[in-house]
Amino acid sequence: MKTRRIALIAGLSALACLTAPVASFAQAYPNKTIKLVVPFPAGGATDLVSRVVAQQLGIELGQSVVVENRAGAAGVIGSEAVARSAPDGYTILIATSSTHTIGPILNPKIPYSPTKDFTPIMFLASSPQVVVVPMSSPVKTMPELIEYIKKNPGKLNFGSAGTGGIPHLSTERFLAMTGTKMTHVPYKGTALAMPDLMAGRLDVMFDSISVSLPHIRDGKIRALAVTSPTASSVAPDIPPLSKFVPGYESLTWFGVFGPAGMSEPVLNKLNAALNQSLKDPKVLAQLAKLGFDPGGGSSADFAKKMIQESAVWNKVITDGNITIEK
């Protein structure tokens, strides 16, 4: 697996230095509907951000952009489908750090390479998680939680949306940085984990702020911290975890990819339209309301970001001896 991780990071480095390969390009692009594939179910964070951006992207390109959910296998099914599509710009993917940095490190059997099978188009947005506990929990603050875990090593449990996902690895990074230990209870999605957290069958969870915030506001769970380096604009009263664990940060990124082999003119047109979409006040307001911070930049910028993210999570996975079987 170590060889696999090294190869992934090396491939990302090479990707950052390359321009998109030139393929046939129709001058009229786009002249038909564009399909934006979301490799996760409707209602999740990836789906939410895609629907905010898709309409404005269609306006910028002068064509309809239709969101298609192709969920399954932790994002693998939809991602592979796009990787095998024609590189003509009419089938693109909105993916995450789970599908394009963490997944390939953890699982050598993933049927695609994030470096060889995709063209990175643009870093779209990022979102922190929020550390939440049941309302019945005795802890009210992050320092209290850390002390509680230290006094009960291995006795508390934390839930996640699945082994190897951002919530799981964010928790593992927190445990490593605080020298604490909890028991991992993986679920097949947040929808199944959240009721157990509310009922007190789980002690803590790191979860997407866009998903957890309604439950926090309804008084069903208690928020202790956010994983962004500073407080989130959507919930400024929740302190950043870095205030209590210096240097801690964990953000889920969302990015747009096309299949490998996209022509440079198509890539540039999509990148420009996406950047312009993120300047629209309505899009910015919707993203902020959901707890997303807008991204932007060039294809090369995005490739470099993937390199940095891979290095961070590779260390978390290696130090924690985390496997997909764990």
Side-chain angles (χ1 to χ4, degrees):
M1 183 177 290
K2 184 176 181 180
T3 301
R4 168 85 176 184
R5 293 169 185 163
I6 293 172
L8 173 65
I9 295 173
L12 287 168
S13 298
L15 184 65
C17 299
L18 297 176
T19 58
V22 176
S24 59
F25 170 63
Q27 293 296 326
Y29 176 83
N31 57 21
K32 62 180 181 179
T33 298
I34 295 168
K35 182 166 60 178
L36 177 59
V37 175
V38 177
F40 298 104
T46 312
D47 180 69
L48 291 173
V49 72
S50 70
R51 294 181 187 279
V52 169
V53 173
Q55 183 176 5
Q56 188 62 34
L57 177 61
I59 293 172
E60 299 296 337
L61 291 172
Q63 284 290 342
S64 297
V65 177
V66 177
V67 175
E68 178 181 302
N69 295 89
R70 297 196 64 174
V76 171
I77 291 176
S79 297
E80 183 185 13
V82 174
R84 308 299 175 231
S85 299
D88 54 11
Y90 291 103
T91 302
I92 56 178
L93 174 76
I94 178 167
T96 72
S97 35
S98 293
T99 60
H100 278 63
T101 50
I102 293 170
I105 294 172
L106 273 174
N107 183 10
K109 295 182 180 179
I110 279 183
Y112 59 81
S113 164
T115 59
K116 296 178 181 178
D117 294 330
F118 294 93
T119 300
I121 298 173
M122 198 188 80
F123 163 51
L124 190 60
S126 63
S127 176
Q129 292 112 64
V130 59
V131 185
V132 288
V133 298
M135 293 303 293
S136 59
S137 173
V139 301
K140 304 293 192 298
T141 66
M142 202 68 217
E144 288 180 5
L145 176 63
I146 295 170
E147 186 64 24
Y148 191 45
I149 300 171
K150 287 182 177 179
K151 289 181 178 179
N152 298 275
K155 295 181 181 180
L156 305 184
N157 56 50
F158 71 94
S160 81
T163 300
I166 282 284
H168 174 208
L169 296 187
S170 295
T171 314
E172 294 284 1
R173 190 180 190 192
F174 160 74
L175 296 175
M177 292 181 71
T178 55
T180 55
K181 184 179 180 181
M182 288 194 292
T183 299
H184 179 213
V185 183
Y187 289 74
K188 293 182 178 179
T190 299
L192 296 177
M194 187 59 74
D196 281 352
L197 181 77
M198 292 178 182
R201 291 185 287 271
L202 288 174
D203 296 300
V204 64
M205 189 160 67
F206 283 53
D207 191 32
S208 166
I209 193 168
S210 59
V211 175
S212 281
L213 198 56
H215 302 305
I216 295 167
R217 288 172 173 165
D218 288 344
K220 295 179 179 179
I221 53 177
R222 180 181 301 129
L224 303 182
V226 290
T227 62
S228 48
T230 58
S232 170
S233 59
V234 74
D237 54 323
I238 305 175
L241 183 48
S242 59
K243 179 178 179 180
F244 315 108
V245 184
Y248 184 92
E249 178 182 342
S250 178
L251 298 171
T252 299
W253 59 254
F254 304 85
V256 181
F257 295 83
M262 288 180 66
S263 71
E264 192 168 355
V266 170
L267 169 62
N268 289 342
K269 192 160 190 178
L270 282 168
N271 177 270
L274 284 163
N275 272 294
Q276 193 61 35
S277 295
L278 292 185
K279 294 178 182 178
D280 183 82
K282 291 181 292 184
V283 170
L284 292 175
Q286 287 178 292
L287 290 175
K289 184 178 180 180
L290 292 167
F292 296 113
D293 294 314
S298 68
S299 172
D301 292 335
F302 186 21
K304 290 176 183 177
K305 182 175 182 62
M306 290 171 65
I307 297 169
Q308 296 166 350
E309 288 284 319
S310 292
V312 168
W313 295 120
N314 183 51
K315 179 173 173 55
V316 172
I317 291 166
T318 301
D319 292 351
N321 193 30
I322 299 167
T323 68
I324 54 175
E325 290 81 22
K326 186 174 179 179

